[in-house]
């Protein structure tokens, strides 16, 4: 142990001495003191403390002697959270009473050799006076020290832990100190301490008393409880176990009187009478901690995001599951193949939020109800992109479709919230339809981008001619709403105004000011792929309506240069001798290949009888088949007429 302050008196040949030991072994242990010679009497007091700084442990110490009924010593305190510890001795002092604000920790009577005691007091100011009241006017000794507490910062904090830290906690646990939650990020046994992040998930980073009780937050990750009043734990029902504790619940969705409960390894149905049914037991074999997170219900269907990207639709009448992942409906737009993190909608429309971690952004997609449009399937449209800098938590993304149908703040909006540690992102909204009555729009408040369009011929040059837009709430005056139209070619370069072909536009030739308006592209705009960008310029005067873009039609021509058309008649049959001496016996296979090329507008290399080659493509829909022979015991023979276009 390390010696601290000592008080001595020669009149009675007595002394008081304080010692300390950092990070003592846990459990019940003896403190053994060995003196150099015998003494008439000995008094020993021991106290243990947690929450003490392991460096700079003692901030002040002091000692005093005297003869009276009131021993005292004063120490300075550098922090209001410090604790002062003292020990007093008195020669036959009779009763010992700790001073105001002090807590007596121990007292001991040694007979003719005197009496002793110890106390503590939490500092409340710049100094602390430790005092005692004695029953007799006698000689006394007093010594005291001030203990420095662990410093609690708002970021990472190290807390001492009684016992072996690793036997109690692991990194990733959540603990609670008074009203504040903390996330454990590291555990150490020498010394026994944990590193935590304070203010975890929004809990108040309050100041704490010196005697801290640390509670580990434990969860029954597979239990469901219900209540009509969540203000008191006594109101909650008995827990219903969903599956086993080895798999945590990731989402709960209400459908009618049932709860659809999605876990890391399955999908369960909890009925009103308490019956639990595993709807997809086969999922147990390939569970994942993110499976089903962010699930939601829409039009009697439950939508279940997959952990690696993708989306399932579960019908609550038949409990059948259909894969509606974007990788199937939008195979070329890989930016939409990330994890679906949130969804919300109303009977006619559904919105989903998809993360694209490679480019640190989220995409908002929308589809009309296929039962109302008659399409039979989901037709997804890209609404907007929200970028962040670094550090997003996909579990904290949210969507909300909100409507206020009357009053001065009438509106209909889709709210989007995402988290980022590297940028200050506020929740934002997108007008759901023309009922938004917010008068704070400006030219930077709303933009719509299309995906890249290649006309089905990604390697064929095309010439842009015009764009015709169906709009509403626009006008030609300086105070009227407008929509500016720009384009970008082949995925790179500046955004250019449609009519001028430049980044600046001083007239309305590239601006929509009326419904069904046509804007011609500047001469010579050719592309392999093209993207369009619509910037909504809402004015704050006038009738406070919102500029609306309902649909548009882009007209373009396949290649600006002339195309050589090559009509070609092909004879397809078995038994034909080829140039290499082989005999052709796959007539149907060859015919099916021609059908495939025709349906896809396939690009081919045509080799003529003289060995020359031409790059061609099938013009879709121009293929004609004539069956020449297919009789009994006869191989089929076909004449196939196609129209090719030479493209290079």
């Amino acid at each position: 142990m390390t010696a601290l302050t000592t008080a001595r008196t020669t009149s009675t040949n007595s002394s008081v001495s304080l010692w300390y030991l950092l990070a003592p072994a846990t459990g019940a242990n003896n403190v053994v003191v060995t003196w150099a010679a015998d003494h008439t009497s000995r008094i020993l007091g021991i106290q243990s403390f947690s929450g003490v700084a392991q460096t700079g442990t003692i901030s002040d110490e002091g000692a005093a002697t005297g003869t009276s009924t009131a021993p005292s010593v004063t120490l300075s305190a550098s922090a209001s959270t410090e604790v002062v510890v003292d020990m007093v001795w008195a020669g036959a002092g009779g009763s010992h009473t700790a001073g105001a604000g002090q807590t007596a920790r121990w007292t001991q009577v040694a007979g003719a050799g005197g009496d002793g005691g110890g106390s503590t007091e939490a500092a409340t100011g710049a100094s602390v006076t430790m005092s005692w009241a004695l029953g007799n006017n006698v000689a006394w000794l007093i010594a005291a020290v001030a203990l420095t507490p662990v410093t609690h910062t708002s970021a990472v904090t190290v807390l001492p832990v009684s016992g072996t830290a690793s036997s109690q906690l692991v990194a990733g646990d959540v603990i609670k100190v008074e009203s504040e939650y903390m996330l454990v990020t590291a555990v150490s046994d020498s010394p026994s301490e944990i590193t935590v992040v304070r203010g975890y998930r929004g809990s108040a980073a309050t100041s704490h008393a010196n005697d801290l009780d640390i509670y580990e937050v434990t969860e029954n990750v597979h239990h469901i409880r219900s209540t009509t009043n969540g203000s008191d734990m006594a109101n909650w029902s008995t827990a219903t176990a969903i599956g086993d504790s080895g798999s945590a619940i990731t989402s709960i969705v209400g459908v009618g009187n049932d709860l659809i409960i999605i876990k890391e390894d399955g999908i369960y149905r909890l009925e009103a009478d308490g019956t639990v049914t595993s709807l997809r037991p086969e999922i147990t074999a390939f569970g994942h901690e993110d499976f089903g997170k962010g699930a939601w219900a829409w039009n009697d269907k439950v939508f279940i995001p997959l952990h690696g990207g993708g989306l399932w639709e579960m019908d609550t009448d038949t409990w059948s599951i259909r894969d509606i992942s974007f990788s199937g409906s939008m195979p070329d737009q890989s930016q939409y193949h990330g994890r679906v993190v949130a969804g919300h909608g109303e009977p006619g429309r559904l919105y989903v939020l998809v993360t694209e971690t490679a480019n640190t952004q989220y995409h908002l997609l929308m589809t009309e109800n296929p039962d109302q449009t008659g399409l039979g399937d989901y037709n997804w449209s890209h609404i907007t992109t929200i970028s962040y800098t670094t550090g997003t938590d996909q579990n904290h993304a949210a969507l909300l479709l909100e409507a206020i149908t009357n009053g001065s703040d009438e509106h209909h909006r889709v709210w989007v919230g995402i988290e980022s540690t590297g940028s200050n992102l506020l929740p934002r909204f997108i007008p759901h339809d023309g009922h938004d009555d917010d008068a704070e729009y400006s030219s930077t408040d709303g933009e719509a981008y299309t995906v890249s369009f290649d006309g089905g011929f990604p390697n064929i040059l095309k010439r842009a001619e015009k764009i015709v837009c169906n709009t509403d709430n626009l006008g030609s005056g300086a105070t009227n709403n407008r929509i500016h139209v720009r384009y970008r070619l082949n995925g790179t370069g500046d955004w250019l105004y449609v009519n001028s072909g430049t980044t600046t536009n001083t007239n309305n030739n590239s601006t929509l000011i009326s419904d069904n308006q046509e804007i011609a592209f500047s001469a010579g705009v050719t592309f392999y792929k093209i993207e369009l960008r619509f910037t909504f310029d809402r004015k704050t005067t006038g009738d406070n309506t919102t500029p609306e873009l309902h649909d548009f039609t882009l007209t373009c021509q396949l290649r600006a240069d002339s195309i050589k058309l090559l009509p070609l008649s092909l004879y397809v049959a078995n038994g034909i001798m080829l140039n290499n001496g082989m005999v052709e016996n796959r007539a149907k296979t060859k015919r099916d290949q021609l059908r495939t090329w025709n349906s896809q507008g396939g690009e081919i290399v045509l080799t003529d009888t003289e060995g020359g080659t031409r790059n061609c493509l099938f013009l879709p829909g121009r293929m004609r088949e004539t069956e020449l022979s297919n009789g009994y015991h006869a191989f089929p023979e076909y004449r196939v007429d196609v129209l090719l276009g030479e493209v290079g």
Side-chain angles (χ1 to χ4, degrees), residues 69-369:
T69 60
S72 69
V73 63
T74 299
L75 301 184
S76 62
S78 60
S80 60
T81 54
E82 289 185 351
V83 172
V84 178
V85 184
D86 76 350
M87 180 179 180
V88 68
W89 171 88
S95 61
H96 288 60
T97 303
Q102 296 169 220
T103 300
R105 299 298 181 180
W106 61 274
T107 58
Q108 184 67 45
V109 176
D115 310 319
S119 70
T120 61
E121 180 177 355
T124 58
S127 64
V128 178
T129 298
M130 305 298 289
S131 63
W132 291 76
L134 305 177
N136 300 317
N137 188 340
V138 294
W140 49 262
L141 305 169
I142 188 170
V145 294
L147 303 181
T148 305
V150 171
T151 301
H152 288 188
T153 65
S154 60
V156 176
T157 303
V158 177
L159 299 177
V161 181
S162 61
T164 304
S166 62
S167 67
Q168 306 171 66
L169 300 165
V170 297
D173 283 347
V174 177
I175 64 172
K176 186 178 181 182
V177 179
E178 295 177 352
S179 62
E180 181 180 359
Y181 290 94
M182 304 179 186
L183 175 66
V184 178
T185 59
V187 176
S188 171
D189 288 335
S190 182
S192 187
E193 62 186 22
I194 58 174
T195 303
V196 300
V197 175
R198 292 192 57 196
Y200 180 65
R201 293 302 175 217
S203 66
T206 58
S207 60
H208 304 297
N210 290 288
D211 295 328
L212 302 180
D213 291 324
I214 299 178
Y215 299 91
E216 181 181 4
V217 179
T218 59
E219 302 170 310
N220 293 318
V221 295
H222 67 303
H223 282 180
I224 295 291
R225 296 177 183 265
S226 62
T227 183
T228 57
N229 179 7
S231 62
D232 188 344
M233 281 299 296
N235 296 322
W236 287 84
S237 68
T238 303
T240 299
I242 308 299
D244 58 56
S245 60
S247 172
I249 294 172
T250 56
S251 290
I252 301 176
V253 180
V255 179
N257 294 324
D258 297 340
L259 284 181
I260 306 303
I261 301 161
I262 303 169
K263 300 185 63 182
E264 294 175 351
D265 66 348
I267 304 173
Y268 297 79
R269 176 189 181 190
L270 174 59
E271 300 179 62
D273 62 0
T275 302
V276 178
T277 305
S278 177
L279 298 176
R280 309 297 295 193
E282 71 276 12
I283 299 177
T284 305
F286 54 93
H288 191 276
E289 63 180 3
D290 290 332
F291 172 71
K293 286 185 177 179
W296 71 92
W298 182 68
N299 289 342
D300 295 326
K301 294 179 175 62
V302 176
F303 292 81
I304 304 171
L306 307 182
H307 58 271
L311 188 64
W312 282 355
E313 172 205 80
M314 184 170 69
D315 190 304
T316 56
D317 291 327
T318 63
W319 306 113
S320 60
I321 285 180
R322 181 165 69 110
D323 189 347
I324 60 170
S325 301
F326 303 128
S327 57
S329 58
M330 295 185 288
D332 295 332
Q333 282 75 49
S334 60
Q335 66 268 38
Y336 307 141
H337 297 174
R339 178 178 157 192
V340 179
V341 295
H344 201 218
E346 61 181 17
R349 290 181 183 176
L350 173 65
Y351 292 87
V352 298
L353 193 61
V354 182
T355 180
E356 184 192 358
T357 55
N359 292 316
T360 59
Q361 56 191 11
Y362 289 80
H363 301 285
L364 180 64
L365 306 179
M366 183 272 290
T367 183
E368 303 283 351
N369 187 344

Side-chain angles (χ1 to χ4, degrees), residues 269-547:
R269 176 189 181 190
L270 174 59
E271 300 179 62
D273 62 0
T275 302
V276 178
T277 305
S278 177
L279 298 176
R280 309 297 295 193
E282 71 276 12
I283 299 177
T284 305
F286 54 93
H288 191 276
E289 63 180 3
D290 290 332
F291 172 71
K293 286 185 177 179
W296 71 92
W298 182 68
N299 289 342
D300 295 326
K301 294 179 175 62
V302 176
F303 292 81
I304 304 171
L306 307 182
H307 58 271
L311 188 64
W312 282 355
E313 172 205 80
M314 184 170 69
D315 190 304
T316 56
D317 291 327
T318 63
W319 306 113
S320 60
I321 285 180
R322 181 165 69 110
D323 189 347
I324 60 170
S325 301
F326 303 128
S327 57
S329 58
M330 295 185 288
D332 295 332
Q333 282 75 49
S334 60
Q335 66 268 38
Y336 307 141
H337 297 174
R339 178 178 157 192
V340 179
V341 295
H344 201 218
E346 61 181 17
R349 290 181 183 176
L350 173 65
Y351 292 87
V352 298
L353 193 61
V354 182
T355 180
E356 184 192 358
T357 55
N359 292 316
T360 59
Q361 56 191 11
Y362 289 80
H363 301 285
L364 180 64
L365 306 179
M366 183 272 290
T367 183
E368 303 283 351
N369 187 344
D371 295 335
Q372 297 178 359
T373 60
L375 296 176
D377 208 343
Y378 297 101
N379 185 21
W380 296 97
S381 300
H382 181 258
I383 303 302
T384 190
T385 297
I386 302 174
S387 298
Y388 61 92
T389 304
T390 57
T392 189
D393 191 331
Q394 299 176 18
N395 296 330
H396 297 162
L399 273 184
L400 173 66
L401 183 57
E402 175 218 26
I404 296 179
T405 57
N406 55 56
S408 59
D409 192 26
E410 178 184 352
H411 61 252
H412 204 178
R413 300 170 179 167
V414 182
W415 288 91
V416 182
I418 65 174
E419 180 182 86
S420 173
T421 59
S423 52
N424 184 19
L425 290 178
L426 299 175
R428 62 188 68 192
F429 70 84
I430 296 93
H432 174 66
D433 55 27
H435 297 294
D436 201 308
D437 197 30
D438 177 70
E440 300 298 327
Y441 267 26
S442 70
S443 59
T444 60
D445 284 333
E447 286 190 318
Y449 295 79
T450 70
V451 297
S452 296
F453 170 75
D454 59 19
F457 301 100
N459 299 319
I460 304 301
L461 203 61
K462 293 159 281 288
R463 180 179 66 83
E465 180 182 354
K466 63 182 179 180
I467 181 172
V468 180
C469 300
N470 181 16
T471 61
D472 201 2
N473 301 332
L474 305 183
S476 59
T479 60
N480 293 109
N481 299 326
R482 304 178 181 188
I483 301 176
H484 307 288
V485 187
R486 285 174 283 183
Y487 68 91
R488 184 173 67 172
L489 302 179
N490 306 320
T492 60
D494 296 327
W495 288 94
L496 308 176
Y497 283 94
V498 170
N499 187 266
S500 67
T502 64
T503 56
T504 58
N505 196 48
T506 58
N507 53 49
N508 290 335
N509 292 338
S510 295
T511 300
L512 300 175
I513 58 175
S514 62
D515 189 25
N516 203 33
Q517 181 179 339
E518 176 183 312
I519 300 178
F521 279 85
S522 56
V525 176
T526 58
F527 63 91
Y528 293 101
K529 295 186 295 184
I530 190 171
E531 300 166 83
L532 297 175
R533 174 181 177 182
F534 300 88
T535 302
F536 297 84
D537 185 1
R538 175 173 178 169
K539 306 300 182 181
T540 57
T541 58
D543 60 0
N544 286 331
T545 59
T546 299

